[in-house]
Amino acid sequence: LASGAVTAAELIPTPSYPRVNTSISYEVDPAWPQRPAEAVWDQMPGVAVDEEDNIWIFNRGTPPVQVYRPDGKFVRSWGEDFVDKAHQIKFDREGNVWLTDVGNHVILKCSREGKVLARLGTTGEPGCDERHFNKPTDMVVAPNGDVFVTDGYGNARVVHFDRQGRYKKS
């Protein structure tokens, strides 16, 4: 730099942001949850809490869907026979469980017991049309039952389906 030149740091000062911890307090409980020996955890991209405060874990281990009570007691698990790669879990207003399976390129609507009630996308077939996703990332179920899917890893779109699962637009 020539003598008297101004540096970039002097022109663009670094903003000072306050460090804010919004949690009042927390304590790690190594005994929570009471996971069965056969339940293996891996990457855990999806966690949801139902109306009874049960914690639903959607992970890439086995089984992919695991449910625990707030006190950590194991309730149930399912999904090892049809989920490939967990990504997101949600509930609709009727209490159905919605899963995003990024590995199988599908969105699944399931009962709480793990029965597949509906499937959006074509299992194991990536694509970009009315019947295919390419690694979908998430979904939301609107109050009227319409489903909006973010199909954003392999594609760059949002896909809209009506409550019966019929393609509307993208």
Side-chain angles (χ1 to χ4, degrees):
L1 291 173
S3 177
V6 178
T7 65
E10 293 171 316
L11 290 174
I12 308 169
T14 304
S16 61
Y17 297 105
R19 290 187 175 267
V20 178
N21 182 352
T22 59
S23 66
I24 297 170
S25 69
Y26 66 90
E27 187 176 315
V28 174
D29 181 355
W32 194 100
Q34 298 156 22
R35 185 174 51 172
E38 65 275 7
V40 177
W41 282 357
D42 200 338
Q43 296 170 345
M44 199 172 300
V47 176
V49 178
D50 68 19
E51 70 282 348
E52 296 174 358
D53 290 333
N54 292 318
I55 296 87
W56 292 67
I57 295 170
F58 193 36
N59 84 111
R60 294 182 181 162
T62 303
V65 177
Q66 299 174 27
V67 185
Y68 297 90
R69 290 190 185 141
D71 65 4
K73 185 173 181 179
F74 175 77
V75 177
R76 75 173 83 65
S77 63
W78 48 266
E80 55 270 38
D81 52 341
F82 59 87
V83 172
D84 179 49
K85 191 172 184 183
H87 201 271
Q88 193 53 264
I89 183 170
K90 303 251 174 78
F91 300 103
D92 64 20
R93 289 177 174 229
E94 293 150 6
N96 298 301
V97 182
W98 288 79
L99 305 174
T100 303
D101 184 342
V102 71
N104 273 329
H105 309 285
V106 294
I107 304 295
L108 302 169
K109 175 184 176 182
C110 301
S111 70
R112 293 192 176 228
E113 294 72 34
K115 179 181 178 189
V116 177
L117 304 173
R119 180 182 326 267
L120 301 175
T122 304
T123 303
E125 292 183 19
C128 188
D129 59 31
E130 296 178 12
R131 298 182 315 109
H132 294 87
F133 303 117
N134 191 349
K135 300 179 183 174
T137 56
D138 204 352
M139 95 303 296
V140 65
V141 182
N144 69 352
D146 283 8
V147 181
F148 295 85
V149 176
T150 54
D151 187 21
Y153 280 134
N155 296 319
R157 64 183 184 153
V158 174
V159 187
H160 177 192
F161 297 89
D162 69 13
R163 71 177 296 114
Q164 284 77 36
R166 292 182 299 242
Y167 174 87
K168 301 290 280 182
K169 61 183 172 181
S170 60

